[in-house]
Amino acid sequence: MAPPQAPANGGAAGHGGIVNVNGGGVDGGAAPSPSEVESNNGAGGRNGVGNSNGVDGGAAAAANGNGKQRADSRRKNKKKKPAVSPKDKYWTPIDDEEAAAAVEDGGEDGRRPLLFRTYRVKGILLHPYRLLTLLRLIAIILFFIWRIRHPHADGMWLWWISMVGDFWFGVTWLLNQVAKLNPIKRVPDLALLKQQFDDLPDGNSNLPRLDVFINTVDPINEPMIYTMNSILSILAVDYPVDRTATYLSDDGGSIIHYEGLLETANFAAMWVPFCRKHSIEPRAPESYFAVKSRPYTGNAPDEFADDHRRMSREYDEFKVRLDALFTKIPERSDACNAEAKDGAKATWMADGTQWPGTWFDPAENHKKGQHAGILKVMLNHPGDEPQFGAPASAANTLDFSAVDVRLPMLVYISREKNPGYDHQKKAGAMNVQLRVSALLTNAPFIINFDGDHYVNNSLAFRAAMCFMLDRRDGDNTAFVQFPQRFDDVDPTDRYCNHNRVFFDATLLGLNGIQGPSYVGTGCMFRRIAVYGIDPPRWRSDDFKIVDNTNKFGKSMSFINSIPSAANQEWSMTSPPADEESIKEELDSVMKCAYEEGTEFGKEIGWVYNIATEDVVTGFRVHRTGWRSMYCRIEPDAFRGTAPINLTERLYQILRWSGGSLEMFFSHCPLLAGRRLNFMQRIAYTNMTAYPISSVFLVFYLLFPVIWIFRGEFYIQKPFPTYVLYLVIVIVMTELIGMVEIKWAGLTLLDWIRNEQFYIIGATAVYPLATLHIVLKLVLRGKGVSFKLTAKQATSTVNEKYAEMYIVQWAPLLIPTIVVIAVNVGAIGAAIGKAIVGGWSILQMADASLGLVFNAWILLLIYPFALGIMGRWSKRPYLLFIFFVIAFVIVAGVVVAIHVARTGSVRFHFRHSGGASFPTSWGF
């Protein structure tokens, strides 16, 4: 799940100019880390020794307490530092003294090394950024004082609305801005992690065990090729193979996913060794083979070309086999059903037994929402000793004789479904994975993925471990959040899918407080934090890991696994899932009734009864006293797919914004306990209340209707002073944004897209989300329902972004279309009135200023206007032609009405007259 789309600097630039149209109140993310030039394909090569701090491995080790001998070696063999990236030049390290102290003690005190470095924005940008924030706050306060002292307007009812709205906009801007005044960037030291945990005398690794959760539900809306690519990239990740286990949760109980996973496990036997042999990046084959050229970093260049061709053919055949499942399984089932004596229309597995999950022809106990639990171990635990493959032969041209061919454990899960229970969608599936994995592998760390995301950087898991295992605050770190990055988004990012203002600014600000919020996929958790257990810094001397067994359910095996999960050195070998005792336990924890009377969905696991279960779960963990870390590495750790159709994108934002409001009223951050940092509390308040701003914003955007019918209308008198304040506040907002662009490593297009899609969301989506929550609170109805976001399945060379040009009409498009029509009509009406109205030069100037705001609104809604044009949007200039034609038509209508009333029309300017303000009042 991606983050909510909220105002970047506190809302839209409202009528009083206090609102900033900078898109998302949770607007942020992380800029590239300083000197992250060798995190993958640099110094480390295929073994992953690359040091993301731009320092050679020995130097980094010495700097973190690994012996005076290494420190002396560092002084003698000091290497030239790599060039600083332009994105990193505004960041400076702040933990040099601690690193130097580690060199002095030589690691003799047994302390763990520093596994990441910490950076802050240089004063040349940070101080102006804070000063501009303070000056804008002062300007806002003076503006309100002036407005209160001058309560004069042509319509006092609108004056009061604008006062309340502008006050709300000012408060939300402040809530958003203060959380970004101390941005912090942390860079993992991958070389040192490898040296400390991998380079052991016995050749083994001491890295903690890790369970990977993947969730999927529909092989159509979430094309299976994405899910299987995600699994292949995880199986091939650069992490000890005996210390990872992957769990695929198929919430639809589909045999397509099960047999697709079988095909994937078979293909992985070739793909994973191929990745290890040639240091392939990325390790999702669909993405890898789409890259035309990439520097080779493996150790067998002579064999690479032949191996690459062979794997490309194998992958094409693998995809054919996956596609064939959609016809192969029904044909097999029809044949088996024809031979069956009971006349059942079952779905049959390849071994001749009936599929216990959902059948193609739904039947009692075999349909979506009603079927037995299923658990299949596709790949067993591989053991601790390396197993090298076979040399090349006539039957197999791939030489894996020097490659460890073991594969990590792989498990298929489909929990029990029953119509009598609320299955809590993704959150419920995650909690079942939590219990099942505890019984099989019980890794102390968990990382979760959506079915359409894959590992883009094979060192990503190691990067997260740098934060979890660091000696400073690692034990108190509950989760490490990575940014979300997407493939197949159009180059201009028309619908702000990348949301870089959130992932490259706000999350860095939160990183300087208690940590980033949890925003779904690509997040590594400490298992006991998900169990609701207190962090070490808040534990008393008589603390017990399990203080009440009742809240965890009735499975004693599961309850007994909890203390072991608190030990990050836990290295249990998973028991066979087909043993009768463990089989009964696994069946028990997958049942719908297991959670009755427990704290699952409340204080344990992922939170229930809310659309944004990720944000609320992260909030609950922070409220308990844990902190979190933000990790941004190059290349991107994970990548996925995003909806590039306008309607699907708006439905996605509807779910996020509706869930955010639900969280504000049901888990109000302002009322959290004392363990939640005050600034973190402010940030969560901003992240959850931002849709309310749309209530006032819609009034402002529709205000031109008054001008069209009345001709003159003041919202505030005296007008010149009002405009002066307005311009000052808006200009300062943009200046703050320009400084933020610099330290966050954003582009101007990123910032503009964020502003544009905030306005689109504020007109099309946020009012509907607000209405939903009102109905839920007043009528005790349901909140925003979950709608699975359909992803683009395939694209051709000629129509790579074909789905972007498809118009899917839906009611939520209407409000924004009305806003466009009103502002276009206002501009046309102003032109017509200027022709026949006999205005003075001063009146013309006033009107022109008003038209600037209308044009600004149309510019901000420009991506939406392109979206509803369909294939015509391939020629954006047509939109401007349509606007001009619309202006002319409206102006002609105004002139025609005037002629009809007066019988004539005069074109003249008056030389004097009061400065009325005939404008459309866009803001």
Side-chain angles (χ1 to χ4, degrees):
M1 184 176 295
Q5 186 91 15
N9 277 319
H15 215 64
I18 299 181
V19 191
N20 172 20
V21 199
N22 286 345
V26 262
D27 61 326
S33 305
S35 304
E36 290 173 348
V37 295
E38 295 175 353
S39 65
N40 184 31
N41 290 329
R46 72 184 289 267
N47 293 321
V49 194
N51 177 13
S52 61
N53 287 334
V55 187
D56 63 282
N64 289 286
N66 288 284
K68 297 180 179 179
Q69 183 177 0
R70 290 193 182 95
D72 294 337
S73 175
R74 176 189 177 188
R75 298 186 188 100
K76 294 178 182 179
N77 302 305
K78 190 174 183 180
K79 293 184 179 181
K80 184 179 180 180
K81 293 183 178 180
V84 177
S85 167
K87 294 182 179 180
D88 300 333
K89 64 181 180 180
Y90 298 113
W91 295 84
T92 183
I94 60 175
D95 54 1
D96 284 344
E97 292 185 4
E98 191 167 7
V103 174
E104 293 300 323
D105 66 43
E108 295 175 0
D109 61 353
R111 293 187 299 173
R112 288 181 292 178
L114 306 185
L115 295 177
F116 65 83
R117 295 300 303 274
T118 306
Y119 295 78
R120 71 180 301 175
V121 178
K122 291 182 178 179
I124 193 173
L125 280 186
L126 186 61
H127 299 323
Y129 186 68
R130 292 173 173 175
L131 178 61
L132 285 170
T133 300
L134 177 61
L135 292 177
R136 189 180 191 272
L137 177 61
I138 294 173
I140 289 173
I141 293 173
L142 293 176
F143 182 49
F144 271 109
I145 293 174
W146 176 79
R147 293 200 69 185
I148 292 172
R149 290 179 176 178
H150 299 80
H152 308 297
D154 289 342
M156 290 303 297
W157 61 273
L158 188 58
W159 184 88
W160 278 107
I161 291 175
S162 70
M163 282 294 295
V164 175
D166 288 349
F167 176 77
W168 175 262
F169 293 140
V171 170
T172 55
W173 168 81
L174 183 62
L175 294 179
N176 178 71
Q177 199 62 29
V178 296
K180 296 190 290 186
L181 294 181
N182 185 36
I184 292 295
K185 184 182 294 185
R186 296 181 174 91
V187 184
D189 191 332
L190 299 172
L192 187 56
L193 180 80
K194 179 177 177 61
Q195 181 179 355
Q196 291 294 315
F197 291 90
D198 284 340
D199 295 342
L200 304 179
D202 59 1
N204 291 322
S205 173
N206 277 341
L207 284 171
R209 292 183 67 102
L210 175 64
D211 288 340
V212 185
F213 294 173
I214 308 177
N215 292 273
T216 189
V217 61
D218 189 329
I220 305 301
N221 283 330
E222 293 180 316
M224 188 167 59
I225 188 64
Y226 291 156
T227 305
M228 299 310 154
N229 265 269
S230 176
I231 291 169
L232 288 168
S233 69
I234 293 168
L235 295 179
V237 77
D238 187 350
Y239 201 83
V241 66
D242 58 315
R243 291 176 175 266
T244 60
T246 303
Y247 294 84
L248 172 66
S249 172
D250 173 20
D251 224 26
S254 170
I255 191 174
I256 295 288
H257 278 135
Y258 170 71
E259 297 207 3
L261 196 59
L262 283 175
E263 293 287 354
T264 301
N266 292 331
F267 177 71
M270 293 183 64
W271 173 252
V272 174
F274 170 73
C275 292
R276 293 171 183 163
K277 178 179 179 180
H278 297 293
S279 298
I280 297 303
E281 296 287 350
R283 299 190 177 183
E286 187 74 13
S287 299
Y288 172 71
F289 289 120
V291 177
K292 294 182 178 179
S293 63
R294 183 178 292 272
Y296 183 77
T297 58
N299 61 357
D302 296 338
E303 303 173 35
F304 175 67
D306 291 337
D307 288 357
H308 185 279
R309 283 192 293 269
R310 171 67 187 279
M311 282 308 308
S312 180
R313 290 195 302 270
E314 291 288 341
Y315 181 60
D316 289 340
E317 294 174 5
F318 166 69
K319 290 194 291 184
V320 170
R321 291 195 298 272
L322 287 184
D323 290 338
L325 292 176
F326 288 89
T327 56
K328 177 182 176 181
I329 298 174
E331 289 175 356
R332 177 211 303 154
S333 298
D334 290 342
C336 292
N337 289 330
E339 297 177 1
K341 296 180 180 180
D342 56 2
K345 293 185 178 180
T347 296
W348 293 79
M349 302 172 66
D351 62 3
T353 59
Q354 293 182 357
W355 173 245
T358 304
W359 288 355
F360 282 105
D361 295 322
E364 193 71 14
N365 297 319
H366 293 287
K367 56 187 176 182
K368 287 186 177 181
Q370 185 181 12
H371 60 78
I374 310 168
L375 189 143
K376 304 283 186 179
V377 177
M378 320 297 282
L379 296 172
N380 288 307
H381 187 275
D384 300 334
E385 297 298 324
Q387 297 176 9
F388 296 99
S393 63
N396 184 9
T397 58
L398 296 173
D399 182 6
F400 293 148
S401 59
V403 181
D404 187 355
V405 297
R406 290 178 299 163
L407 298 178
M409 188 175 179
L410 178 62
V411 182
Y412 172 91
I413 301 173
S414 183
R415 57 183 171 141
E416 182 191 45
K417 292 288 189 69
N418 188 300
Y421 291 87
D422 184 348
H423 302 109
Q424 299 296 341
K425 306 178 180 68
K426 180 181 175 181
M430 297 278 280
N431 285 339
V432 171
Q433 284 177 297
L434 192 66
R435 297 191 294 269
V436 169
S437 63
L439 297 179
L440 288 179
T441 48
N442 200 31
F445 298 98
I446 298 165
I447 188 165
N448 73 283
F449 290 93
D450 288 343
D452 59 348
H453 277 67
Y454 65 90
V455 180
N456 184 64
N457 185 333
S458 64
L459 297 175
F461 293 177
R462 292 175 176 269
M465 283 299 176
C466 288
F467 300 104
M468 291 294 195
L469 303 179
D470 187 81
R471 79 184 192 197
R472 285 163 290 187
D473 213 14
D475 289 342
N476 291 294
T477 299
F479 62 89
V480 177
Q481 179 66 62
F482 289 86
Q484 293 181 15
R485 298 291 187 244
F486 302 101
D487 295 327
D488 294 328
V489 174
D490 62 294
T492 63
D493 194 12
R494 178 189 290 181
Y495 303 135
C496 197
N497 286 107
H498 289 306
N499 205 3
R500 292 190 184 275
V501 176
F502 177 81
F503 283 114
D504 294 328
T506 293
L507 291 193
L508 285 180
L510 296 178
N511 212 26
I513 309 175
Q514 197 171 341
S517 57
Y518 169 39
V519 290
T521 183
C523 185
M524 180 180 289
F525 270 95
R526 191 179 297 271
R527 185 183 286 265
I528 60 169
V530 182
Y531 287 155
I533 296 170
D534 291 344
R537 62 190 295 258
W538 288 101
R539 295 175 189 171
S540 59
D541 294 336
D542 58 348
F543 175 81
K544 293 182 179 179
I545 294 292
V546 180
D547 57 351
N548 182 2
T549 59
N550 293 330
K551 65 182 182 180
F552 290 99
K554 298 180 179 180
S555 172
M556 293 308 300
S557 296
F558 170 64
I559 294 171
N560 292 336
S561 74
I562 296 174
S564 300
N567 179 9
Q568 63 190 27
E569 297 180 0
W570 175 251
S571 59
M572 178 188 76
T573 300
S574 57
D578 56 357
E579 285 187 2
E580 196 60 34
S581 58
I582 189 67
K583 191 174 181 179
E584 291 179 1
E585 291 288 344
L586 289 169
D587 183 64
S588 171
V589 299
M590 286 194 296
K591 287 189 176 299
C592 302
Y594 181 84
E595 296 181 355
E596 291 182 343
T598 71
E599 290 296 316
F600 276 98
K602 291 173 282 189
E603 297 302 320
I604 300 174
W606 278 259
V607 177
Y608 292 162
N609 298 314
I610 196 164
T612 50
E613 76 287 331
D614 48 1
V615 179
V616 181
T617 300
F619 167 73
R620 192 205 69 209
V621 170
H622 279 140
R623 187 189 64 197
T624 312
W626 292 93
R627 68 156 298 117
S628 59
M629 300 279 189
Y630 184 70
C631 182
R632 166 71 158 83
I633 60 176
E634 291 289 346
D636 296 325
F638 314 116
R639 296 187 72 87
T641 56
I644 63 173
N645 177 273
L646 175 61
T647 307
E648 290 292 341
R649 176 75 168 124
L650 291 177
Y651 274 125
Q652 186 183 58
I653 295 176
L654 174 62
R655 180 161 56 90
W656 295 342
S657 56
S660 296
L661 274 179
E662 286 185 64
M663 175 180 169
F664 180 76
F665 288 103
S666 61
H667 302 77
C668 185
L670 295 175
L671 304 179
R674 63 188 180 93
R675 296 184 184 181
L676 188 67
N677 183 285
F678 175 75
M679 294 303 296
Q680 195 81 8
R681 192 186 309 255
I682 295 299
Y684 270 115
T685 301
N686 179 61
M687 274 191 286
T688 54
Y690 69 90
I692 298 176
S693 302
S694 64
V695 175
F696 304 103
L697 185 59
V698 168
F699 275 104
Y700 295 154
L701 299 183
L702 295 179
F703 183 67
V705 171
I706 299 177
W707 153 238
I708 292 174
F709 290 103
R710 293 193 53 177
E712 295 182 5
F713 206 85
Y714 283 107
I715 194 174
Q716 181 73 57
K717 298 177 180 179
F719 174 70
T721 307
Y722 174 77
V723 171
L724 179 62
Y725 273 113
L726 191 69
V727 171
I728 290 175
V729 171
I730 292 177
V731 168
M732 294 186 68
T733 299
E734 300 308 317
L735 288 175
I736 292 172
M738 293 305 102
V739 178
E740 191 169 302
I741 285 175
K742 287 292 185 181
W743 63 254
L746 299 168
T747 66
L748 184 59
L749 181 61
D750 293 330
W751 192 260
I752 292 173
R753 285 290 185 250
N754 205 54
E755 290 190 3
Q756 289 176 325
F757 221 76
Y758 173 73
I759 289 296
I760 293 171
T763 54
V765 175
Y766 300 160
L768 184 58
T770 304
L771 178 62
H772 268 276
I773 196 64
V774 169
L775 294 176
K776 181 177 181 180
L777 293 175
V778 176
L779 303 179
R780 302 291 182 181
K782 292 185 178 181
V784 178
S785 59
F786 177 87
K787 180 183 184 297
L788 183 64
T789 304
K791 305 299 192 303
Q792 185 180 20
T794 58
S795 60
T796 65
V797 175
N798 296 328
E799 289 285 348
K800 186 173 183 180
Y801 307 112
E803 191 170 335
M804 187 169 66
Y805 306 115
I806 298 174
V807 182
Q808 296 177 349
W809 293 102
L812 79 171
L813 299 178
I814 295 175
T816 311
I817 293 176
V818 172
V819 170
I820 293 175
V822 166
N823 282 273
V824 167
I827 294 176
I831 296 172
K833 289 177 182 294
I835 294 175
V836 300
W839 287 350
S840 67
I841 299 297
L842 185 57
Q843 286 177 310
M844 294 285 289
D846 289 344
S848 299
L849 183 60
L851 296 181
V852 168
F853 286 104
N854 284 113
W856 187 10
I857 288 298
L858 293 178
L859 180 64
L860 291 174
I861 303 180
Y862 168 76
F864 178 93
L866 284 180
I868 62 176
M869 286 175 61
R871 292 188 175 275
W872 287 31
S873 65
K874 294 180 180 180
R875 301 174 179 84
Y877 64 85
L878 291 177
L879 178 61
F880 293 97
I881 295 176
F882 293 154
F883 277 158
V884 171
I885 293 174
F887 298 154
V888 172
I889 292 174
V890 175
V893 171
V894 171
V895 172
I897 293 174
H898 178 79
V899 171
R901 287 178 176 177
T902 63
S904 63
V905 57
R906 296 177 58 195
F907 301 94
H908 69 280
F909 295 106
R910 294 187 316 200
H911 296 289
S912 62
S916 62
F917 187 53
T919 177
S920 56
W921 292 98
F923 279 94

